[in-house]
Amino acid sequence: MWIYEKKLEFPIKIKKTDPALAKVIISQFGGPDGELAASLRYISQRFAAVTPESKATLSDIGTEELAHLEMIGTMCRQLTADANIDEIKKAGFDAYYVDHGLGVYPASASGVPFTAAYLQSKGDPITDLYEDMAAEQKARSTYEYLMNLTDDPDVLEPLRFLREREIVHFQRFGEALQNVKAYMDSKRQFVIDKPDYMNGNKSKCMKCR
Amino acid sequence: MRIMNTETNNDMSCMPFEEYIKVKELAFAYVPLQKICSYFEPTESLVKGTVFPSLYKPYK
């Protein structure tokens, strides 16, 4: 069950049209280390999580990644909404334009459509958390590369915010890893109720006859 | 608990993570558990992307 809040996690008001920038930022929408892959990864992996804490971490962060997806989509839209044909051609945005117009489509910067092959759900809670920590690092690097490609403060501010969230998520997955590790290492005791025929009350015991 | 306005955590009396890390085996990653020392102001936190000065690591 989800609750949608009709607002962005971080406000986005881009004044300058820049289709060339939209072309690379789209990679954080539907690219290999993008927010859609992140969200699907965590929301899929949570079903194999073994502790309530790690389940909650995966659900919460998977949900937040959807909010980030919304932010990235908003940025791409605002960067292209007012672009004319000359700007589209000059920015090299024409290849995208011919397939998707000014719509926001989940694809990488190089135009490869989104695929679930970007993520894994291995069924091993430790393995999954290692992947999640790596995913946060890859997303952080991607945000740094994107920040290198622009000096528009309207774009830099949300990118800076999203990059910081990756660092916080890495810490949370690291903590979830300790939590799951402690659970896997703990000695577990299984208790079953004593069956009737062991109670010495033979009159009630059907199997004893 | 301190409310911070600065970008750096100057409170040396409080370490924001476990002081003793119990490494029990090889071939396993360890991220220290966070301990809360101080907070940013709520409005500042929403801008920065974290409420914890110890997790605030800006790029360049």
Side-chain angles (χ1 to χ4, degrees), chain A residues 130 163-165 172 175 181, chain B residues 25 29 32 34 49 55 57:
Chain A
Y130 274 122
R163 179 189 166 279
E164 175 59 37
R165 295 308 299 156
R172 297 297 165 250
E175 288 163 348
K181 175 71 171 157
Chain B
E25 64 178 274
Q34 185 185 353
L55 278 178
K57 298 162 88 177

Side-chain angles (χ1 to χ4, degrees), chain A residues 2-165:
Chain A
W2 266 266
I3 293 172
Y4 178 73
E5 289 211 35
K6 201 173 170 182
K7 61 187 170 201
L8 293 174
E9 193 185 352
F10 188 93
I12 295 167
K13 287 185 180 68
I14 300 170
K15 293 176 269 304
K16 193 169 153 282
T17 298
D18 190 344
L21 197 53
K23 213 178 117 181
V24 288
I25 289 182
I26 197 84
S27 226
Q28 277 306 82
F29 194 79
D33 304 314
E35 303 292 354
L36 181 56
S39 184
L40 275 183
R41 178 182 295 115
Y42 307 149
I43 290 172
S44 302
Q45 290 177 355
R46 66 199 271 261
F47 297 105
V50 286
T51 64
E53 290 87 349
S54 62
K55 249 178 239 179
T57 303
L58 287 162
S59 301
D60 286 356
I61 299 180
T63 301
E64 193 185 339
E65 304 293 9
L66 282 177
H68 295 171
L69 184 78
E70 188 183 29
M71 282 177 66
I72 295 291
T74 305
M75 290 171 81
C76 291
R77 179 64 188 177
Q78 290 186 5
L79 284 166
T80 54
D82 297 327
N84 59 41
I85 291 298
D86 282 345
E87 287 172 319
I88 286 169
K89 278 192 199 165
K90 219 175 117 190
F93 197 71
D94 44 358
Y96 180 95
Y97 177 78
V98 77
D99 286 334
H100 314 295
L102 297 180
V104 178
Y105 178 76
S108 76
S110 52
V112 180
F114 178 78
T115 162
Y118 292 148
L119 56 105
Q120 178 60 289
S121 180
K122 199 69 182 171
D124 179 323
I126 299 279
T127 308
D128 282 350
L129 285 169
Y130 274 122
E131 171 172 328
D132 302 341
M133 290 162 74
E136 296 296 333
Q137 291 297 316
K138 289 187 282 180
R140 178 186 56 78
S141 300
T142 310
Y143 280 121
E144 288 173 10
Y145 300 153
L146 286 173
M147 288 166 83
N148 294 342
L149 292 171
T150 181
D151 47 17
D152 182 350
D154 294 341
V155 178
L156 277 174
E157 275 305 295
L159 289 179
R160 189 195 47 70
F161 176 89
L162 290 166
R163 179 189 166 279
E164 175 59 37
R165 295 308 299 156

Side-chain angles (χ1 to χ4, degrees), chain A residues 164-180:
Chain A
E164 175 59 37
R165 295 308 299 156
E166 307 296 341
I167 293 166
V168 176
H169 291 169
F170 181 89
Q171 174 64 29
R172 297 297 165 250
F173 282 130
E175 288 163 348
L177 182 69
Q178 301 315 329
N179 174 270
V180 172

